[in-house]
């Protein structure tokens, strides 16, 4: 028997609609919850870099027994993100580190192929490294400042020196706008205002699903706490607008082609849809042919920088005025778009087609 091994979290829309697409194509899916992935540490002889090591073989044997699959070579693998066990931003590093270790364990599985290869999934989790790789490949990206800041005052000094009034501050690792903060600063009088979906509670930052605006001392305390984490600071670009909303694009690139473009509209600087922002049909933006072609060119060029990823969600900014596209971030697991699954389920159907080819 051949089919698909889906590693993910039970009970969500991702699994439901992916399995629905697989059933329509007549391809069986074996599901493995992240909480059941065998735990193989270095103390058991596990060595990610040496697939022939005994620890690797024991890991594979545990998986076969758990899944009751004799030959994994007849299965193509899709890896969805795990459910994070904490919403505290200070836990992002350890949670991501554990996930990267799990991906290393899975990277040597003798499977029929991966929709997205584990090493590349881990690589795009690092915003700094991903942005550097794209820039090296000639892909236009939102500019990331090279400087590191350990507190708000260091950042304010930098902004004063370079006469910069707006930036984004983001934890290096994390998704879903976790910790993303838009900062406005007036070098002349030192006034600050920031916009974020993180909340500071009893000295710890938590990711939430609502937006906050902070000013003055509250903003300073928040920023000091955020910069204690490993963060990047990015240039704030003016975004294109539509009927009074600014917007960016979530672009899904799969198998070397663009399968979906979703505009995300917001009255504020952060556009993630789970923050009560709005989506619309891409065609309704009525962008010119040249702009659409340029978006496609930039996204396909970015995809080519990660050939091991057959499905990528990209956040793309169109600069106000000239509508020049720039990659904001890439996500190897950013494929769930409610507008799609509630209508054609185009994205997951395309993934099934790609995985069928892997099994040929």
């Amino acid at each position: 028997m051949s089919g698909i091994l889906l590693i993910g979290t039970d009970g969500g829309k991702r699994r439901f609609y992916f399995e629905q697409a697989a059933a329509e194509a007549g391809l069986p899916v074996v599901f493995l919850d992240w909480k059941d992935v065998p735990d193989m540490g270095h103390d058991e002889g596990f060595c990610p870099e040496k697939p022939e090591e005994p620890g690797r073989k024991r890991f594979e044997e545990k998986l076969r027994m758990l899944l009751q699959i004799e030959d994994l070579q007849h299965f193509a693998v899709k890896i969805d993100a795990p459910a994070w066990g904490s919403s505290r931003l200070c836990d992002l590093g350890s949670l991501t580190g554990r996930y990267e270790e799990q991906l290393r364990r899975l990277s040597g599985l003798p499977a029929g192929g991966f929709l997205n290869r584990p090493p590349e999934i881990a690589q795009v989790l690092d915003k700094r490294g991903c942005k550097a790789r794209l820039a090296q490949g000639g892909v236009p990206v939102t500019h990331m400042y090279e400087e590191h800041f350990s507190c708000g005052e260091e950042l304010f000094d930098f902004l004063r020196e370079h006469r910069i009034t707006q930036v984004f501050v983001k934890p290096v690792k994390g998704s879903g706008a976790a910790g993303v903060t838009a900062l406005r600063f007036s070098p002349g009088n030192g006034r600050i205002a920031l916009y974020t979906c993180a909340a500071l509670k009893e000295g710890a930052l938590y990711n939430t699903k609502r937006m906050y605006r902070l000013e003055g001392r509250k903003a300073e305390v928040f920023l000091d706490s955020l910069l204690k984490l490993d963060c990047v600071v990015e240039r704030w670009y003016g975004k294109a607008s539509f009927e009074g909303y600014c917007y960016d694009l979530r672009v899904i690139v799969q198998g070397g082609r663009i399968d979906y473009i979703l505009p995300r509209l917001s009255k504020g600087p952060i556009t993630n849809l789970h923050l009560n922002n709005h989506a619309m049909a891409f065609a309704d933006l009525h962008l010119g042919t040249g702009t659409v072609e340029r978006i496609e060119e930039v996204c396909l060029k970015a995809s080519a920088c990660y050939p091991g990823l057959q499905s990528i969600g990209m956040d793309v900014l169109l600069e106000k005025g000239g509508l020049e596209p720039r990659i904001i971030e890439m996500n190897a697991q950013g494929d769930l778009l409610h507008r799609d699954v509630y209508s054609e389920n185009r994205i997951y159907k395309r993934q099934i087609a790609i995985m069928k080819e892997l099994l040929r």
Side-chain angles (χ1 to χ4, degrees):
M1 183 183 80
S2 63
I4 291 174
L5 170 58
L6 173 63
I7 304 174
T9 301
D10 198 8
K13 293 183 177 67
R14 291 180 186 279
R15 178 186 178 185
F16 178 83
Y17 286 102
F18 179 82
E19 289 185 341
Q20 184 181 82
E24 290 180 13
L27 204 60
V29 176
V30 175
F31 176 74
L32 174 63
D33 197 297
W34 272 112
K35 63 182 175 59
D36 296 322
V37 173
D39 189 9
M40 293 290 291
H42 293 284
D43 57 333
E44 295 187 61
F46 179 80
C47 181
E49 293 77 19
K50 297 182 179 180
E52 72 279 4
E53 289 292 320
R56 168 72 70 190
K57 293 179 180 178
R58 286 198 296 274
F59 176 67
E60 293 171 10
E61 289 170 2
K62 285 186 176 183
L63 265 185
R64 288 193 186 96
M65 290 178 62
L66 177 68
L67 300 170
Q68 297 184 336
I69 294 176
E70 184 61 32
D71 192 349
L72 287 167
Q73 289 183 345
H74 295 153
F75 282 76
V77 181
K78 180 187 179 185
I79 301 174
D80 279 336
W84 300 121
S86 171
S87 62
R88 293 196 314 172
L89 296 187
C90 63
D91 294 330
L92 273 177
S94 60
L95 289 170
T96 306
R98 174 169 173 73
Y99 181 41
E100 290 169 337
E101 178 63 28
Q102 289 172 319
L103 290 171
R104 282 192 288 270
R105 291 179 207 149
L106 294 168
S107 63
L109 282 183
F114 290 89
L115 177 67
N116 285 340
R117 293 185 63 248
E120 281 87 347
I121 294 175
Q123 287 165 13
V124 297
L125 289 172
D126 179 354
K127 293 182 178 69
R128 187 180 288 121
C130 179
K131 193 68 69 74
R133 184 166 178 172
L134 293 177
Q136 188 176 17
V139 178
V141 298
T142 52
H143 177 69
M144 187 177 291
Y145 299 108
E146 296 181 359
E147 290 79 2
H148 293 254
F149 307 97
S150 62
C151 65
E153 196 54 47
E154 288 183 5
L155 176 55
F156 299 146
D157 287 344
F158 174 81
L159 298 180
R160 287 190 192 97
E161 179 182 355
H162 297 277
R163 302 188 66 80
I164 298 170
T165 60
Q166 300 181 128
V167 293
F168 277 90
V169 184
K170 307 176 181 180
V172 170
K173 298 183 179 180
S175 59
V180 173
T181 298
L183 172 67
R184 298 183 189 273
F185 175 71
S186 176
N189 57 27
R191 288 182 180 175
I192 61 174
L194 59 82
Y195 308 82
T196 182
C197 62
L200 183 60
K201 301 176 183 177
E202 298 179 353
L205 289 172
Y206 290 82
N207 195 37
T208 74
K209 292 186 178 181
R210 58 166 292 188
M211 287 295 300
Y212 300 91
R213 184 180 188 277
L214 302 177
E215 295 183 344
R217 182 57 184 161
K218 287 184 178 180
E220 293 174 1
V221 172
F222 178 95
L223 194 59
D224 282 341
S225 297
L226 181 62
L227 289 172
K228 289 178 182 176
L229 310 177
D230 188 10
C231 288
V232 297
V233 177
E234 290 187 347
R235 177 182 165 185
W236 183 324
Y237 293 78
K239 291 181 179 179
S241 62
F242 180 83
E243 295 185 351
Y245 291 87
C246 67
Y247 71 88
D248 60 17
L249 308 172
R250 168 57 63 93
V251 181
I252 306 295
V253 180
Q254 301 191 124
R257 80 181 194 200
I258 292 177
D259 280 337
Y260 210 99
I261 303 179
L262 184 72
R264 308 183 303 180
L265 289 76
S266 174
K267 288 291 186 180
I270 299 176
T271 59
N272 297 67
L273 294 177
H274 71 282
L275 299 174
N276 294 321
N277 292 318
H278 308 288
M280 64 178 289
F282 178 63
D284 290 343
L285 288 175
H286 301 295
L287 297 176
T289 301
T291 298
V292 175
E293 290 176 349
R294 180 61 176 152
I295 292 168
E296 294 176 350
E297 175 189 350
V298 167
C299 291
L300 292 179
K301 193 170 186 178
S303 174
C305 293
Y306 288 92
L309 300 178
Q310 292 297 306
S311 176
I312 312 175
M314 304 182 187
D315 294 341
V316 181
L317 176 145
L318 298 183
E319 286 193 62
K320 185 176 181 179
L323 300 182
E324 173 65 19
R326 293 179 178 272
I327 303 296
I328 304 171
E329 290 183 14
M330 295 176 63
N331 189 335
Q333 294 156 328
D335 55 9
L336 176 63
L337 299 183
H338 291 164
R339 272 188 165 244
D340 176 47
V341 296
Y342 293 154
S343 56
E344 300 178 61
N345 205 12
R346 187 192 316 171
I347 295 168
Y348 289 146
K349 287 178 181 178
R350 173 86 166 118
Q351 289 182 5
I352 297 300
I354 293 171
M355 297 178 83
K356 267 191 168 182
E357 287 299 313
L358 291 175
L359 293 170
R360 289 187 187 279

